Amino acid sequence: MTDHENELAAERRYVGELYGRLDAERERARRRYADALADHEGRAVDREGDVMTTAREMRRLDVAEEGLCFGRLDGAPRPDGTVDTRYVGRLGLFGDGAADSAGDEERTLLLDWRAPASRAFYTATGAHPEGVHRRRQFLSRGRDVEDYTDEILGRPGADAEGDAALLAAVNVPRGEGMRDIVATIQADQDRIIRSDDPGVTVIEGGPGTGKTVVALHRVAYLLYTQRARFERHGVLVVGPNTSFLRHIGRVLPSLGESDVVFATPGTLYPGVTASAEDAPETARLKGSAAMAAVLAAAVADRRTLPEAPVSIGLGDATVRVTADVAGWARDEARDSGQPHNQARSVFLDVLTWAITERALGRIGRQWLRREDTRAWEEMRASMLADLAVDGTFRRTVDALWPVLSPETVLADLLSSPERLAAAGADPALLRADGAAWTVSDVPLLDELAELLGPHEQEDRTAARQRRREQEEFAEGVLDSLVSRSDSMDDEDHLFATDLLYAEDLAGRFEERDTRDLVERAAADRTWVYRHVVVDEAQELSAMDWRVLMRRCPSHSFTVVGDLTQRSAPAGARSWGEMLDPYVAGRWAYSALTVNYRTPAEIMAIAAGVLAEFAPDAEPPESVRSSGARPWARPVSDAGIASAIEEFVREEGDRPGTAAVIGPAGTPGAMTPGQAKGLEFDAVLVVDPAAILADGDRGAAELYVALTRATQRLGVLHREPLPACLSGLSERVPSSSADRPR
C-alpha cells in the first residue's frame, strides 16, 4: 500500500472510534432522557429542566451524522519525531476518564469547530501558520472517510491546495436547502463568526459571498460560547419569505442548535400570516417612521367627548356626564402613561368619582353632615354598585374610552377617509377592505398592540388556548399511566381514566406551560429574544425595525444584507438610517467581498447591470469559473412557454436544482423577490426588459435574478436585449415559431 492509503486507513480507524464514542454518548443521553421524562410525567419530581436539557443534548449528538469529523491540525514535528495532533468536527468528544500518556484524565478526542483551539483550522496561513504545520481536510460520505487533502503551511503552492477543498464544496450540485459551511469556513468569514461583540453586527456582501450562512454560523457560535445567556430566551431569525426560511432552515439544526424561531416580516404579529404586498407607494407610506405618530393619533382619536350631556340617574339625583367632566377624566388617563386599554381604568375611576361626588353633593346636603364619613362612604358604595349595572353609563364609557384591539383600530383607520384625516395620514392609504392584511400592515398592528396593551377578548382567547393545551398534556399523562392492553382479561381492573378526566387533571397543571421554547416564543408578541438575525435587512422598513427592537431590548443583532439589492420602497438606503435611532455609534460593520456562489462568467454579466443603477458599487469577486457561457435567446409571445419547458427538460437530466425567474405572471416562474437569498445550479431569467421597466428597483431585481445561479445561466427575451446584457452569447431558437416577430 502507498503512504497515502496507509494514512487513509489510519484516519478511517480513528474516525470509526469517534463514532463509537458518539454512539455511547447518545445511548447515555437517551437513558437520561427516559429517566427524567418518566419521573417528570409521573410527577415524582419536577424534572422539566432535565427533560429539555437531555432532549437538546440528543439533538446535538444526532447532527454528527452530517459529518462528525472533517479536519485535522498537526503542529510542527518535535526533535523526537512526535507531533501534536488535533481533530476538528461538528461537536466535542472526550475520553472515557482513563488517564492518557500525558496524564490527562479527559483527553480531547475531537474539538468542537467553535472551540478556541479550532480557530487555526480556519485562519492559519502560510504567512501566519499559528503553530500549524499541516492542515488536513476529510472528504466524507456519512460515516465513511473517502479521502483527504493535505495543506503544508509555508510551502510554495500551499494556497492552491488549500483552495481545493473549498472549490470542491462550492461546485457540489445544490440540493434541497442551504448547507452549512462548517468544514470550509474562510478566514474572513471566521473573523465575523467568532466576533463576541454583544451589540449590532452588520454583515454586508454582494451575491454569493456567504453572508447568510456566516450569520447562521455566528448564531451557533454565540449559542456555544454563551449558552446560559441564550438558552431560556432563544434566537429569532427573520427572512424575506417562507421559501427563504425553508432554504436556510436546516443549517442551524445541522450544527446542533434548535432553540431558534424563524419568521418573515409578515408573521411577526401572532395570529396574522401576511404575504400580500401593497403597491409600492402604499408600502412606502406604511413603512415610514412617520406612521408611528399616525397610529398614536388614530388611537387618541378613539377617545371622544360627549357631544351633549348624558344624564345618569343615581338614587334620588340625576347627574350629567358633560364634556368638561369627561375631558378631565380623559386627561388624567392619558397622563398616566399606561397603554390605552389599561388607562381605561384610570378614566373610569376619575369619571365615576366625579359623578358620584356630584350626586352625593345633591343628595347628602339635604340630610347628611360631612362629618358623618361612614354614611357618605356607604352611599358612595351604593352609587358605584348602581353604576356598574347601569346600561346608559356602560354605553357612555364604551363610547368615550372604548376597549380596542389593534385589528379593529387599523381596519377602521384604513377604510375611513374621516379617520385617516383625523390621524393626519395620507389619504392614499384608503382601501375598501381595511382588514385585508398585507406584509406592510404587520408592523402597524404590532405598533398598535404596544399603544393599546392587552384587551379582554385577547385575554379570554389566550386563556382558552392555554386550557386546551393543558387538557392535551393531561390526556398524555393519563395515557402513560395505563395501558389497557396489559390487562384486557381483567374486567374488574380499575384504571386511572375511570376515576379522572383529562379536564380535571388539567387543573393540576395550570401553572405549567408544556410548549417548548420555540412554540412559546412564536405565540407571544411580548417574548424577549437574546439575539436576532435579520436577513435581507435592506428590505425592512423603519416600522419593521421598531418591531424587531421591541423583540430584543438588549439590541443584540446580526444584520445581513446588501444595499445594492434593495427593492422595497421603504427599505434602507443606508445602515445608519435604520440603526442610528436605536444604537447610534454602537454598531459594527463588516464586508464580505468574495463570491463563492456565482462563477466569473455569470458575475461579469451581472456586474454590467450593477453598473447601470449603482455605478459606485464594487461587484464581489468570484473565486471560480464554471466554463459555461451565459446565453440569451429571443422568443415570441407564442414560443415562450415551449422555451421554458425546453429549459426544464434539459435541466431535469442534470444533477442539482434549476429555477425560472421572471416578472409576476410568467408561467412556472418565481419573481426576483421570491428568489432572494436562494441559489440554484441553473437559472433561466425571462423578460429582463420587463423586470428593468421598474427603474432602479427593477434593475436591483434583475441583478438578484442573474446572481442566483451557481453553474449555468440562460435568458429569454421578447423585447430587444437591454444594453447592460450585451455580454450574453446568442443562442439560436430551436424553431422559427419561437422567433419573435
Side-chain angles (χ1 to χ4, degrees):
M1 295 176 68
T2 65
D3 289 344
H4 184 88
E5 290 171 330
N6 284 329
E7 287 209 44
L8 181 58
E11 298 292 19
R12 285 171 172 162
R13 285 194 298 273
Y14 189 82
V15 173
E17 292 173 6
L18 292 177
Y19 273 107
R21 182 69 183 172
L22 174 75
D23 290 339
E25 293 281 355
R26 184 185 284 124
E27 178 59 24
R28 278 195 286 269
R30 188 196 65 77
R31 288 198 298 268
R32 288 196 302 271
Y33 178 78
D35 290 345
L37 188 64
D39 285 347
H40 187 60
E41 290 192 344
R43 306 308 292 171
V45 64
D46 185 354
R47 295 188 62 182
E48 182 177 4
D50 291 341
V51 171
M52 295 176 65
T53 299
T54 52
R56 186 183 297 111
E57 176 68 6
M58 291 171 65
R59 290 194 296 267
R60 187 183 75 88
L61 295 171
D62 286 341
V63 306
E65 301 301 336
E66 299 275 344
L68 174 58
C69 178
F70 51 77
R72 167 179 151 180
L73 293 172
D74 292 347
R78 299 188 184 95
D80 63 0
T82 60
V83 173
D84 281 334
T85 296
R86 292 170 284 167
Y87 286 86
V88 182
R90 290 179 178 276
L91 48 81
L93 289 176
F94 302 93
D96 57 8
D100 64 8
S101 59
D104 296 327
E105 291 191 354
E106 195 172 52
R107 181 170 63 94
T108 300
L109 303 176
L110 183 67
L111 282 169
D112 191 295
W113 67 275
R114 296 164 288 191
S118 298
R119 183 165 191 170
F121 185 78
Y122 303 110
T123 60
T125 65
H128 301 283
E130 301 184 33
V132 176
H133 173 67
R134 175 170 62 180
R135 174 166 43 211
R136 174 168 290 180
Q137 291 184 276
F138 297 124
L139 174 62
S140 300
R141 190 181 301 277
R143 293 191 169 207
D144 297 326
V145 177
E146 297 186 342
D147 206 346
Y148 66 81
T149 61
D150 276 348
E151 180 184 4
I152 307 300
L153 299 185
R155 189 182 66 186
D159 289 344
E161 291 188 19
D163 288 343
L166 171 64
L167 293 176
V170 298
N171 275 310
V172 170
R174 268 46 180 179
E176 293 300 322
M178 178 181 285
R179 297 165 298 176
D180 65 63
I181 59 168
V182 65
T184 57
I185 294 169
Q186 300 301 291
D188 59 336
Q189 299 172 330
D190 185 80
R191 174 179 52 81
I192 298 171
I193 290 169
R194 295 178 192 266
S195 168
D196 287 323
D197 188 340
V200 176
T201 296
V202 175
I203 307 173
E204 183 164 27
T209 54
K211 53 188 179 294
T212 296
V213 74
V214 166
L216 295 175
H217 282 67
R218 172 168 162 74
V219 169
Y221 174 78
L222 292 173
L223 287 167
Y224 174 80
T225 57
Q226 303 177 41
R227 180 72 62 188
R229 175 174 172 242
F230 281 90
E231 65 181 354
R232 292 193 178 276
H233 295 269
V235 173
L236 173 65
V237 176
V238 179
N241 52 57
T242 54
S243 297
F244 175 83
L245 294 182
R246 284 195 298 269
H247 178 63
I248 69 170
R250 68 184 293 271
V251 173
L252 283 169
S254 78
L255 298 172
E257 304 301 346
S258 56
D259 288 342
V260 179
V261 175
F262 292 90
T264 67
T267 61
L268 284 173
Y269 183 79
V272 172
T273 300
S275 57
E277 298 282 354
D278 281 304
E281 178 59 15
T282 302
R284 185 190 67 78
L285 291 170
K286 288 182 178 179
S288 166
M291 276 302 296
V294 168
L295 296 174
V299 172
D301 184 51
R302 305 300 291 266
R303 305 163 184 165
T304 61
L305 299 177
E307 295 181 359
V310 179
S311 297
I312 306 292
L314 284 176
D316 296 332
T318 298
V319 294
R320 297 191 302 171
V321 178
T322 60
D324 63 324
V325 171
W328 175 40
R330 182 179 67 176
D331 292 344
E332 291 292 321
R334 184 181 57 208
D335 293 344
S336 72
Q338 298 183 60
H340 172 89
N341 289 330
Q342 280 62 58
R344 173 184 160 104
S345 63
V346 178
F347 175 82
L348 184 60
D349 287 347
V350 174
L351 189 63
T352 54
W353 185 90
I355 62 177
T356 56
E357 188 69 13
R358 287 186 177 183
L360 285 168
R362 294 176 184 177
I363 298 173
R365 78 165 69 99
Q366 302 171 17
W367 56 278
L368 278 179
R369 293 176 303 172
R370 276 292 176 184
E371 294 78 16
D372 193 352
T373 305
R374 182 174 179 179
W376 282 97
E377 291 305 321
E378 288 177 351
M379 186 177 293
R380 186 188 297 277
S382 175
M383 290 180 177
L384 290 175
D386 290 343
L387 284 176
V389 296
D390 187 281
T392 301
F393 181 71
R394 291 204 311 272
R395 287 190 295 273
T396 300
V397 172
D398 287 342
L400 302 182
W401 196 289
V403 175
L404 298 172
S405 71
E407 294 84 350
T408 298
V409 174
L410 189 58
D412 290 349
L413 175 69
L414 297 178
S415 58
S416 168
E418 294 77 18
R419 292 199 184 278
L420 285 171
D426 193 303
L429 293 175
L430 181 69
R431 67 184 183 210
D433 185 356
W437 306 128
T438 66
V439 173
S440 299
D441 290 328
V442 169
L444 309 189
L445 289 168
D446 196 82
E447 184 77 18
L448 285 167
E450 197 72 9
L451 293 169
L452 296 173
H455 54 93
E456 295 174 4
Q457 180 60 41
E458 180 181 89
D459 291 343
R460 287 195 297 270
T461 301
R464 285 196 299 269
Q465 176 64 23
R466 285 194 298 271
R467 185 68 181 184
R468 283 196 297 270
E469 291 167 355
Q470 290 158 0
E471 290 177 3
E472 290 171 2
F473 175 78
E475 287 175 359
V477 172
L478 288 175
D479 289 342
S480 71
L481 292 176
V482 61
S483 172
R484 290 186 181 273
S485 62
D486 292 338
S487 52
M488 290 179 63
D489 297 330
D490 188 353
E491 295 181 358
D492 297 325
H493 191 89
L494 192 62
F495 293 92
T497 48
D498 296 324
L499 300 174
L500 190 65
Y501 292 104
E503 53 267 32
D504 299 323
L505 186 59
R508 303 186 184 183
F509 301 105
E510 287 185 353
E511 299 303 318
R512 172 195 173 92
D513 193 334
T514 61
R515 299 169 298 174
D516 64 21
L517 182 147
V518 171
E519 293 173 314
R520 284 183 284 127
D524 185 353
R525 195 196 70 83
T526 63
W527 187 274
V528 172
Y529 295 93
R530 279 291 182 260
H531 191 77
V532 176
V533 177
V534 188
D535 210 325
E536 300 294 344
Q538 73 279 352
E539 305 298 338
L540 269 60
S541 70
M543 293 302 294
D544 289 322
W545 281 108
R546 289 176 67 88
V547 176
L548 295 176
M549 291 296 172
R550 282 194 285 269
R551 298 296 191 273
C552 186
S554 65
H555 297 166
S556 178
F557 280 76
T558 299
V559 177
V560 182
D562 179 10
L563 294 175
T564 64
Q565 295 186 58
R566 180 187 64 83
S567 59
R573 287 168 172 78
S574 73
W575 299 118
E577 174 189 6
M578 294 303 181
L579 298 176
D580 283 346
Y582 308 99
V583 288
R586 294 187 291 115
W587 53 276
Y589 176 86
S590 296
L592 295 172
T593 59
V594 179
N595 190 331
Y596 301 101
R597 175 207 299 148
T598 316
E601 297 90 339
I602 297 177
M603 200 61 222
I605 302 300
V609 177
L610 180 64
E612 287 285 314
F613 72 98
D616 296 332
E618 285 290 330
E621 181 180 357
S622 298
V623 299
R624 65 190 175 95
S625 297
S626 67
R629 287 197 64 188
W631 52 267
R633 171 178 163 185
V635 291
S636 64
D637 290 346
I640 193 166
S642 61
I644 292 174
E645 291 173 2
E646 181 181 332
F647 168 81
V648 172
R649 283 196 305 272
E650 287 179 358
E651 292 300 330
D653 296 331
R654 293 178 171 138
T657 58
V660 179
I661 303 175
T666 303
M670 66 175 72
T671 65
Q674 293 167 335
K676 272 194 173 171
L678 307 183
E679 58 181 25
F680 309 92
D681 291 88
V683 168
L684 181 67
V685 177
V686 180
D687 275 349
I691 298 174
L692 279 172
D694 199 9
D696 283 354
R697 180 171 184 263
E701 293 201 330
L702 181 58
Y703 181 60
V704 169
L706 294 171
T707 53
R708 299 306 96 194
T710 67
Q711 302 291 342
R712 300 173 296 281
L713 172 69
V715 174
L716 299 179
H717 59 102
R718 288 184 279 199
E719 301 295 328
L721 201 63
C724 60
L725 299 180
S726 59
L728 293 165
S729 63
E730 191 75 11
R731 175 180 284 192
V732 178
S734 57
S735 70
S736 59
D738 290 341
R739 295 189 178 94
R741 304 187 180 194

